[in-house]
Amino acid sequence: MNRKPIIGITMGDAAGVGPEIIVKSLSQPGVYESSQPLVIGDAKILERAANLLNLDVRVKRIDSNLNFEAKYGEIACLDLDLLPVDLPFGQISAESGHAAFEYLRTAIELANDKKIDAICTAPLNKEALHKGGHLYPGHTEILAELTNTKDFSMMLSSPKLKVIHVTTHVGIIDAVNMINPGRVYDVIRLAHDTLSKSGINHPKIAVCGINPHAGENGLFGYGEEEEKIIPAVEQAISEGIKVEGPLPADTLFYRAVRGDFDIVVAMYHDQGHGPIKVLGLEAGVNITVGLPIIRTSVDHGTAFDIAGLGVADERSLMEAIRQAIELAPKQ
């Protein structure tokens, strides 16, 4: 009988909604039927969240040996004890940014050592992360550096649409400059390999253009599609990958939701994130592909405006945990 995988759930920025959605998610019995959830964060912050939500759960502190048995009604926490219990809600701070980094660094170390089977991340705040001395654009880049991964990408997954990105957390001008045939090909290949491993035979991949109407044969832009995208698509086709593009983004996402394609390759952050989020924040999950470890995440931010109110929606985290369980090795 396969053992239940240990899913390391990082607390993210404790001034945001991360602790609340974690406690809400781990107060539901279904999580424990198929996994051993382990929070990597600050136990006292989780206890504060449980009290705020009036939930009858106990936070159990465990040490780095990870000798624990996850069970309903008890939240296991590898307690790094980095923050004060009265950390203000909804405020950017260096201490919460540094703590969020340390939660993730610890989780990556545990995953690299195969002490946990997957990582699921609650949101961090990039400004707080930078104030805390960690100058990364976000989770994805930290994961890549600390796992020595060169070829990686952010994939957003929802029930009706999957999107993988050529560029992510950079300005639009920088994004266009960074796009090149090698990178586009690598992302097409990552999309193909990831979906193939998940059981989709010969996945159908669509590639967005950069300009309106994918340049419309040179009418818009300066030939970016011909220079940066078409060579990559042709290379992938020559290797037997089922890929089309570059295609106009304004109709492509409709076609993908309709079922014409299994995944869309987006050229830049908002091109891919916008359609996913229109379909519903509660359903979206962020998966980093290309890593030697499994990592899933919510597809929303820290929501500082509602932190501490007890109204945060945990459904995206629940779906991220579910996908982490599904992807994690079970042997």
Side-chain angles (χ1 to χ4, degrees):
M1 179 172 154
N2 291 338
R3 67 174 180 82
K4 297 177 183 178
I6 300 174
I7 308 299
I9 304 169
T10 60
M11 204 169 69
D13 193 306
V17 297
E20 295 171 51
I21 60 175
I22 289 172
V23 170
K24 282 185 176 182
S25 297
L26 299 188
S27 297
Q28 301 183 37
V31 177
Y32 297 86
E33 293 171 4
S34 53
S35 73
Q36 300 182 78
L38 168 69
V39 180
I40 300 162
D42 268 52
K44 56 185 169 297
I45 299 293
L46 292 176
E47 290 168 340
R48 180 175 73 165
N51 291 332
L52 172 73
L53 296 165
N54 293 315
L55 291 173
D56 185 20
V57 293
R58 174 179 171 240
V59 178
K60 181 179 181 180
R61 292 161 172 81
I62 67 168
D63 61 32
S64 57
N65 292 323
L66 305 194
N67 293 321
F68 76 105
E69 181 180 351
K71 57 184 179 181
Y72 175 59
E74 187 175 87
I75 297 175
C77 177
L78 178 55
D79 184 16
L80 301 193
D81 193 22
L82 296 173
L83 296 172
V85 71
D86 59 351
L87 181 78
F89 292 111
Q91 294 185 21
I92 292 169
S93 71
E95 59 184 345
S96 62
H98 172 66
F101 175 83
E102 284 299 313
Y103 305 150
L104 181 60
R105 185 196 61 76
T106 301
I108 293 168
E109 185 177 287
L110 293 172
N112 282 335
D113 291 342
K114 302 193 184 308
K115 292 183 177 180
I116 62 176
D117 300 292
I119 298 172
C120 181
T121 58
L124 53 71
N125 180 280
K126 295 174 183 63
E127 186 177 347
L129 183 69
H130 290 187
K131 282 182 176 290
H134 307 287
L135 303 180
Y136 296 89
H139 274 115
T140 302
E141 293 78 10
I142 299 171
L143 284 148
E145 180 171 309
L146 297 186
T147 58
N148 297 311
T149 301
K150 299 287 188 221
D151 294 328
F152 62 93
S153 184
M154 175 190 294
M155 184 173 85
L156 302 181
S157 177
S158 73
K160 293 184 178 181
L161 178 65
K162 287 181 172 60
V163 181
I164 190 168
H165 293 70
V166 172
T167 68
T168 49
H169 297 115
V170 294
I172 187 65
I173 294 173
D174 292 332
V176 174
N177 288 332
M178 289 171 64
I179 297 166
N180 62 70
R183 173 61 180 166
V184 175
Y185 168 78
D186 287 342
V187 175
I188 293 170
R189 169 58 69 179
L190 283 170
H192 175 270
D193 292 350
T194 299
L195 294 191
S196 296
K197 288 175 183 176
S198 74
I200 299 175
N201 293 321
H202 307 296
K204 295 172 290 185
I205 302 167
V207 179
C208 287
I210 297 170
N211 295 297
H213 303 280
E216 201 160 306
N217 297 316
L219 184 61
F220 304 114
Y222 298 93
E224 288 86 359
E225 280 74 19
E226 289 78 8
E227 175 192 346
K228 296 170 177 285
I229 300 176
I230 289 175
V233 172
E234 290 176 344
Q235 181 182 348
I237 290 172
S238 73
E239 296 174 3
I241 295 174
K242 295 182 69 173
V243 57
E244 293 183 35
L247 298 172
D250 59 353
T251 53
L252 172 51
F253 289 99
Y254 167 78
R255 294 181 61 196
V257 170
R258 186 175 67 184
D260 293 2
F261 302 104
D262 296 305
I263 192 166
V264 173
V265 176
M267 291 296 118
Y268 52 90
H269 183 281
D270 285 11
Q271 188 180 58
H273 278 63
I276 285 280
K277 293 188 177 182
V278 165
L279 292 173
L281 286 173
E282 73 283 351
V285 175
N286 181 334
I287 303 170
T288 307
V289 297
L291 298 176
I293 60 180
I294 302 300
R295 180 263 176 160
T296 68
S297 180
V298 295
D299 186 33
H300 62 73
T302 48
F304 279 172
D305 57 324
I306 60 169
L309 301 181
V311 298
D313 190 328
E314 76 277 15
R315 285 178 291 176
S316 181
L317 181 61
M318 288 291 295
E319 179 62 17
I321 293 170
R322 187 193 70 76
Q323 293 206 29
I325 295 167
E326 188 174 295
L327 294 168
K330 312 297 191 301
Q331 65 276 8

